[in-house]
């Protein structure tokens, strides 16, 4: 099995399905360029049959982006698939992504189709797509809540028709990491031609486990593609977050043993761009891209980080595109952090007693003000200097 993990970004398709996150063609193009800079392997640019606007966005992205594969979503019918192929015509590398629901609930209540009809439609869709483009991804919507015997039959059949990627979504975010990982593993073992396709995971975050489930799909299940979005944008509570899953794979390479192509230095810029474009604010304590992700406020932590960054940092802020980690001076800060900031500001106090006095004034101020800025420190030492 390959050691390379494919990163499939669906910010522009599933991400855009977040209520209030719709994007114009130019905005999508700007984000696609940033995804290319990130070296995302596959960019799902939209759903060509959904609207003329989506069709044109996919077309523009297919023209402009050269390094990533460009993908368009399609329901499992000839019209949608032909529309995707048309939008992708000028892409350097193109993928058609076709899907149909396979869970009893979705087949009976939503599609009003029998399992045999779903199986036939899935086969027909992949066959039709394969005549237009070589790279075909098949998704079994609500795959995790599907009956494994039936799902295995569908997957075996679509691989036989030429599907090159098999995606098993947890469409409603119902999975638990260990169970999802084993679900993928068992399916792969059950499908005789499973090694003819790359297996993919696509997890929603309804119970806050999208990243954990995706990683279990890889580690336990043997999937080699993760579908994710910048800032975890997506339907309802969102999708697996690209920045978190990529940094987990990189930081814990000792455990996963996998490589990703992502140039992580562009992560923070991508997060900001998506946030500014959609108006979806990133929470300060969000892993990797939140404003506090690399900030240290307590005295003990600040002291540790100033002595050796590894004491409280498992990743480097600079590696994901922050300028540096941040020592936030406030009432919990210690003397060491304060002294270091004086040095950075070029302030030389002539004795340890003067430092102590400045530190006492700083603590008094910090009791009244939640964050102390450089200007506050400079004002404080200049008052102290003038009183000497
Ligand atoms: O969540 C889902 O099942 C999807 C599919 C269309 C891949 O987004
Ligand atoms: Zn989805």
């Amino acid at each position: 099995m390959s050691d390379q993990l494919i990163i499939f970004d669906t910010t522009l398709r599933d991400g855009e399905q977040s209520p209030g996150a719709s994007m114009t063609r130019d905005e999508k193009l700007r984000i696609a360029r940033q995804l290319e800079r990130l070296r995302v392997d596959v960019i799902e640019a939209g759903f060509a049959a959904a609207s003329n606007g989506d069709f044109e966005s996919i077309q523009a992205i297919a023209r402009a982006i050269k390094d990533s594969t460009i993908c368009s979503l399609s329901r499992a019918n000839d019209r949608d698939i032909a529309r995707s192929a048309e939008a992708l015509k000028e892409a350097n590398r193109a993928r058609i992504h076709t899907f149909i629901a396979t869970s009893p609930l979705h087949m009976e209540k939503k599609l009003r189709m029998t399992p045999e009809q779903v199986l036939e439609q899935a086969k027909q869709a992949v066959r039709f797509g394969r005549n237009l483009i070589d790279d075909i991804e098949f998704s079994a919507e609500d795959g995790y809540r599907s009956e494994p015997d039936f799902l295995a039959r569908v997957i075996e059949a679509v691989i036989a028709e030429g599907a090159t990627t098999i995606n098993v979504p947890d469409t409603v975010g119902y999975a638990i990491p260990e169970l999802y990982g084993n679900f993928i593993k068992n399916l792969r073992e059950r499908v005789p031609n499973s090694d003819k396709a790359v297996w993919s995971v696509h997890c929603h975050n309804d119970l806050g486990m999208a990243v954990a489930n995706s990683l279990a799909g890889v580690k336990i299940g043997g999937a080699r593609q993760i579908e994710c979005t910048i800032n975890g944008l997506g339907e309802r509570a969102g999708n697996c977050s690209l920045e978190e899953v990529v940094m987990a794979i990189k930081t814990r390479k000792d455990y996963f043993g996998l490589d990703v192509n992502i140039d992580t230095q562009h992560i923070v810029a991508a997060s900001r761009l998506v946030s500014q474009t959609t108006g979806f604010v990133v929470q300060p304590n969000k892993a990797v891209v939140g404003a506090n992700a690399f900030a240290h406020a307590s005295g003990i932590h600040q002291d540790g980080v100033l002595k050796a960054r590894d004491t409280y940092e498992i990743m480097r802020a600079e590696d994901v595109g922050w300028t540096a980690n941040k020592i936030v001076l406030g009432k919990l800060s210690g003397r060491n952090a304060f002294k270091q900031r004086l040095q950075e500001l070029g302030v030389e106090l002539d004795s340890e007693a003067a430092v102590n006095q400045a530190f006492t004034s700083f603590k008094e101020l910090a009791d009244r003000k939640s964050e102390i800025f450089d200007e506050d420190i400079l004002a404080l030492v200049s008052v102290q200097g003038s009183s000497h």
Side-chain angles (χ1 to χ4, degrees):
M1 205 187 295
S2 162
D3 290 344
Q4 192 68 30
L5 184 63
I6 297 166
I7 298 297
F8 175 115
D9 181 278
T10 182
T11 307
L12 301 177
R13 197 279 296 169
D14 210 320
E16 203 198 19
Q17 287 174 217
S18 272
S22 96
M23 297 170 239
T24 65
R25 192 192 65 163
D26 288 351
E27 287 170 340
K28 284 189 163 194
L29 194 52
R30 217 171 300 135
I31 291 175
R33 290 191 203 282
Q34 183 63 21
L35 294 173
E36 187 182 38
R37 245 171 253 130
L38 257 183
R39 291 208 232 115
V40 157
D41 301 289
V42 185
I43 298 174
E44 186 160 56
F47 187 162
S51 70
N52 286 340
D54 235 29
F55 179 91
E56 284 164 15
S57 299
I58 297 166
Q59 202 172 41
I61 291 168
R63 277 187 194 128
I65 302 298
K66 295 294 162 225
D67 294 341
S68 312
T69 295
I70 308 303
C71 172
S72 168
L73 186 69
S74 336
R75 281 163 298 189
N77 66 58
D78 296 0
R79 186 188 156 273
D80 272 27
I81 293 170
R83 194 83 177 131
S84 280
E86 178 67 21
L88 293 167
K89 222 163 48 190
E90 293 176 55
N92 225 5
R93 277 192 289 270
R95 171 180 297 189
I96 288 175
H97 178 188
T98 186
F99 74 99
I100 190 163
T102 52
S103 67
L105 186 63
H106 278 228
M107 290 190 292
E108 189 195 327
K109 303 282 187 212
K110 185 183 78 171
L111 298 175
R112 305 218 162 101
M113 288 168 76
T114 64
E116 291 313 309
Q117 287 170 327
V118 166
L119 173 65
E120 280 315 306
Q121 192 163 326
K123 283 164 58 180
Q124 159 62 24
V126 171
R127 194 179 312 136
F128 183 77
R130 220 18 233 261
N131 284 331
L132 304 172
I133 282 178
D134 285 344
D135 187 345
I136 303 289
E137 172 166 335
F138 173 79
S139 279
E141 192 193 12
D142 207 18
Y144 181 63
R145 292 194 300 172
S146 302
E147 200 276 302
D149 280 336
F150 174 66
L151 184 53
R153 274 181 68 210
V154 173
I155 292 174
E156 181 182 352
V158 295
I159 294 177
E161 294 291 348
T164 41
T165 301
I166 295 297
N167 186 37
V168 184
D170 177 23
T171 302
V172 290
Y174 182 69
I176 304 286
E178 192 186 350
L179 302 182
Y180 183 66
N182 281 319
F183 187 77
I184 306 279
K185 178 173 185 272
N186 293 337
L187 271 176
R188 284 185 49 242
E189 283 167 3
R190 208 181 273 223
V191 171
N193 51 0
S194 68
D195 59 353
K196 300 260 178 326
V198 173
W199 287 65
S200 167
V201 289
H202 175 115
C203 297
H204 279 268
N205 205 32
D206 299 65
L207 293 174
M209 289 189 279
V211 170
N213 287 332
S214 303
L215 291 170
V218 167
K219 180 69 182 176
I220 305 172
R224 285 296 176 265
Q225 173 175 284
I226 290 187
E227 303 198 355
C228 48
T229 59
I230 302 292
N231 298 338
L233 202 66
E235 285 265 6
R236 306 180 308 280
N239 284 73
C240 168
S241 126
L242 179 145
E243 56 280 2
E244 293 177 20
V245 94
V246 164
M247 290 316 290
I249 293 284
K250 288 225 166 217
T251 308
R252 296 307 309 268
K253 178 145 194 217
D254 60 317
Y255 178 70
F256 292 106
L258 295 171
D259 293 313
V260 283
N261 282 330
I262 300 297
D263 182 349
T264 59
Q265 305 235 353
H266 296 288
I267 283 180
V268 167
S271 163
R272 287 203 175 124
L273 179 61
V274 169
S275 171
Q276 281 159 11
T277 307
T278 57
F280 280 45
V281 177
V282 174
Q283 72 197 54
N285 58 328
K286 167 92 166 64
V288 184
V289 292
N292 290 351
F294 295 90
H296 305 282
S298 93
I300 294 169
H301 287 214
Q302 290 180 346
D303 184 48
V305 165
L306 289 171
K307 288 174 175 149
R309 288 180 68 177
D310 296 353
T311 51
Y312 291 100
E313 288 183 5
I314 57 161
M315 305 169 255
R316 286 278 183 268
E318 300 86 315
D319 289 349
V320 294
W322 292 105
T323 34
N325 65 350
K326 192 170 143 201
I327 299 286
V328 181
L329 291 186
K331 68 176 181 186
L332 300 174
S333 301
R335 192 175 178 283
N336 243 356
F338 178 70
K339 217 173 142 185
Q340 163 100 8
R341 184 63 58 86
L342 288 179
Q343 266 168 25
E344 286 163 5
L345 292 171
V347 176
E348 294 256 353
L349 295 179
D350 42 21
S351 65
E352 278 304 298
V355 173
N356 287 343
Q357 191 187 334
F359 183 59
T360 308
S361 312
F362 155 75
K363 281 288 203 181
E364 282 165 9
L365 182 63
D367 257 339
R368 286 180 272 124
K369 215 166 169 276
S370 61
E371 190 174 340
I372 306 292
F373 298 101
D374 292 347
E375 294 71 24
D376 297 317
I377 296 177
L378 290 169
L380 197 136
V381 291
S382 78
V383 170
Q384 185 177 315
S386 61
S387 69
H388 273 228

